[in-house]
Amino acid sequence: MSFLKSDTWFDVFKHLAVIAALVATLVLGFFYLYLPLTTHHGETIVVPKITGMNVADLENYLDERKLAYFVDDSSYSPGTRPFTVLTQEPAPGEKVKQDRKIYISISMRRPPVIKMPKLTDGSVKNAQLILASYDLAIGQIKLVPNVAQNAVLKQLVGGKEIAPGAAIAKGTKVDLEVGDGLGNTEFEVPSLLNMPEDEARTLLAGQHLEVGEVFKQPAETGQTPGTVVRQRPVAAPGATIRMGQLVDLWVAE
């Protein structure tokens, strides 16, 4: 009877050993065979550079590399073809797993429309900063007679004034009319005849007038060398001049 009992325990042990071996085989097979085959454990793909490509070409290009893409942003980029890839994440050269999505931003066909900011009554420097922050381009800056120096007097698009709040596309060029600080004030032409040249220059600067061309000519009888013997415009009765204008001088030598 004891022999049969020993055989029974031996059989139980044998069965348990077989079961343990099967479990171990299944566990090892799951982690070392099944998972690597189904998840490509340890395999990575180097992310290619796709910025500059057209989005229409991406699907086949990335399919061949077992990758995908997702458009998560778009913006207008002047001079860039519509639907061109502008940015990508992950960056080129990074290593990822198969089927990883690359998040991209693309260029829009048309620029977005925004509201025109108010530039008038501020300085031209401030206007340039505002235009840049709104993605608007700075066009021509035209100086016009006005005592408000460097102040924006008008904002224009295509030669026509544009009001603050008006619809305008990003990237549009905005022209500015800016005060020259001189204004339209007119006054009598000062007489510079027989005045030494340096004094004549000082007088013109004090009246916000500019020295134009200076012509040297031999002194005639009664003329003192180094003095102004002629000017243009002449200081005739009723003749007027505006600040910032030029005055030509003829000086005896």
Side-chain angles (χ1 to χ4, degrees):
M1 294 294 294
S2 59
F3 178 78
L4 293 175
K5 187 175 181 181
S6 298
D7 283 348
T8 302
W9 282 109
F10 177 77
D11 290 340
V12 171
F13 177 78
K14 183 172 65 173
H15 291 319
L16 289 175
V18 171
I19 293 172
L22 288 173
V23 170
T25 302
L26 289 174
V27 171
L28 292 175
F30 179 79
F31 284 105
Y32 290 96
L33 293 175
Y34 178 76
L35 282 182
L37 288 174
T38 56
T39 64
H40 301 276
H41 180 71
E43 294 184 15
T44 57
I45 300 171
V46 177
V47 176
K49 180 180 181 295
I50 57 176
T51 53
M53 293 181 61
N54 191 284
V55 71
D57 302 325
L58 277 186
E59 189 162 354
N60 289 336
Y61 182 79
L62 293 178
D63 276 349
E64 293 174 356
R65 290 157 178 79
K66 298 181 180 179
L67 294 170
Y69 73 91
F70 180 80
V71 179
D72 68 347
D73 193 16
S74 61
S75 60
Y76 180 71
S77 179
T80 303
R81 291 181 305 166
F83 307 114
T84 297
V85 178
L86 301 176
T87 62
Q88 68 176 88
E89 175 61 36
E94 290 191 27
K95 293 182 178 181
V96 298
K97 289 190 175 182
Q98 180 178 316
D99 297 326
R100 170 67 185 270
K101 284 184 180 179
I102 300 177
Y103 293 88
I104 64 173
S105 66
I106 61 173
S107 59
M108 300 171 63
R109 180 184 295 276
R110 294 183 180 84
V113 175
I114 59 174
K115 291 183 178 180
M116 176 67 196
K118 185 178 186 295
L119 307 175
T120 53
D121 300 329
S123 69
V124 64
K125 184 176 181 180
N126 187 57
Q128 291 173 323
L129 293 174
I130 293 174
L131 289 174
S133 68
Y134 276 74
D135 290 330
L136 295 170
I138 300 169
Q140 293 183 339
I141 298 178
K142 180 182 178 182
L143 295 177
V144 296
N146 194 283
V147 293
Q149 188 174 18
N150 293 326
V152 178
L153 306 175
K154 290 182 181 180
Q155 51 193 42
L156 310 99
V157 173
K160 296 182 179 180
E161 283 195 71
I162 180 170
I168 185 172
K170 282 189 176 184
T172 301
K173 285 187 177 181
V174 179
D175 301 323
L176 304 175
E177 284 193 5
V178 179
D180 61 5
L182 301 174
N184 287 311
T185 305
E186 291 189 354
F187 49 91
E188 291 185 0
V189 178
S191 177
L192 307 173
L193 297 181
N194 301 318
M195 187 179 293
E197 182 183 353
D198 58 346
E199 292 184 14
R201 288 177 176 272
T202 301
L203 177 62
L204 291 174
Q207 297 191 8
H208 300 287
L209 297 170
E210 301 288 337
V211 177
E213 294 190 72
V214 177
F215 303 95
K216 302 290 186 177
Q217 64 180 46
E220 298 179 1
T221 304
Q223 294 178 342
T224 303
T227 59
V228 177
V229 296
R230 182 184 168 195
Q231 68 180 76
R232 182 175 59 200
V234 297
T240 60
I241 194 170
R242 184 173 61 83
M243 285 189 292
Q245 287 189 308
L246 301 176
V247 178
D248 298 329
L249 304 175
W250 280 258
V251 178
E253 60 178 6

